Amino acid sequence: MRALVIEDQEDCASYLVKGLTDGGYAADWESNGEKASWKARFTDYDILLSDIHLPEKNGIEILKEVRKNKKDVPFIMITVEKNIQEKLEAFQLGADDYIVKPFSISELLARIKAILKRGKQVEPEIITIGNISLNSLDFKVFKNKKEIKLRRKEFDLLYYLMQNPGRVLSRMFLLEKVWDMNADPFTNTVDVHIRSLRKRIGDLKGETIQTVYGRGYEFKIK
């Protein structure tokens, strides 16, 4: 899953990005409110986290613009202030949560998980295709009811492939979804992780995760 951190204080942004990355998210960071608003509206993020006080455009304005574009992406407002009017305004405009600094990453991750479970995320908790089952909230994968241990990037690749069975997903699509915006589009990291994923799920011949030459990868429905 992909997150956007909108924060102008570098130390706080680094704390958030590291915590989200450790928690399994591909996290981008933007410090400028104007640029952040554009990214939030025109990039496919799974969660947005924004400070209120930002240069060029504040978090409330970003929230307004995101919701005006009918984006129902989960949005958490972050601030050092306990201003009740700001909090009420944020909720009235469609914020999903409001968290006051300082806070722990474990608390933030728990809040994100709760928001996604409330129905903001349209994907099912459990995806089962053939003999493979994936739990997108507990990050567990089973084959023939036996758990398979995957590294986080392998899990995320499998997640997006199983979300789109029978559809060819390009390397660029997978790179943007599983890695952050700084990922090198010319790298072969997607292919390397796909090979590793195939080994772990016992798909050495590539019959389940098929290579569609010149286009990408497809999770084959048998």
Side-chain angles (χ1 to χ4, degrees), residues 154-192:
E154 295 165 348
F155 178 91
D156 289 346
L157 283 171
L158 183 62
Y159 170 75
Y160 284 108
L161 287 163
M162 291 186 69
Q163 267 196 317
N164 300 276
R167 176 186 168 194
V168 180
L169 303 183
S170 70
R171 289 172 175 81
M172 183 57 71
F173 174 89
L174 293 170
L175 193 66
E176 289 178 351
K177 283 291 188 179
V178 178
W179 285 264
D180 62 29
M181 65 185 300
N182 297 313
D184 182 357
F186 300 105
T187 184
N188 68 341
T189 189
V190 173
D191 304 306
V192 171

Side-chain angles (χ1 to χ4, degrees), residues 1 13 19 33 39 47-48 69 96 146 165 186 193 195 209:
M1 294 186 182
K39 287 181 180 178
I47 187 82
L48 303 174
N69 280 260
D96 295 276
K146 182 179 179 181
F186 300 105
H193 281 77
R195 287 197 294 270
I209 301 174

Side-chain angles (χ1 to χ4, degrees), residues 103-161:
F103 55 86
S104 69
I105 287 296
S106 58
E107 177 188 3
L108 178 62
L109 293 175
R111 286 174 180 253
I112 291 173
K113 187 173 182 179
I115 288 170
L116 296 179
K117 288 182 72 173
R118 285 206 298 261
K120 287 290 183 180
Q121 186 169 307
V122 298
E123 299 86 12
E125 283 191 25
I126 298 175
I127 305 172
T128 301
I129 301 176
N131 60 356
I132 297 178
S133 181
L134 179 149
N135 188 312
S136 61
L137 294 179
D138 291 339
F139 307 112
K140 291 184 178 181
V141 174
F142 296 86
K143 182 176 182 180
N144 296 323
K145 299 183 178 180
K146 182 179 179 181
E147 186 174 358
I148 299 171
K149 298 293 184 182
L150 299 182
R151 296 188 179 94
R152 194 51 207 259
K153 297 299 185 186
E154 295 165 348
F155 178 91
D156 289 346
L157 283 171
L158 183 62
Y159 170 75
Y160 284 108
L161 287 163

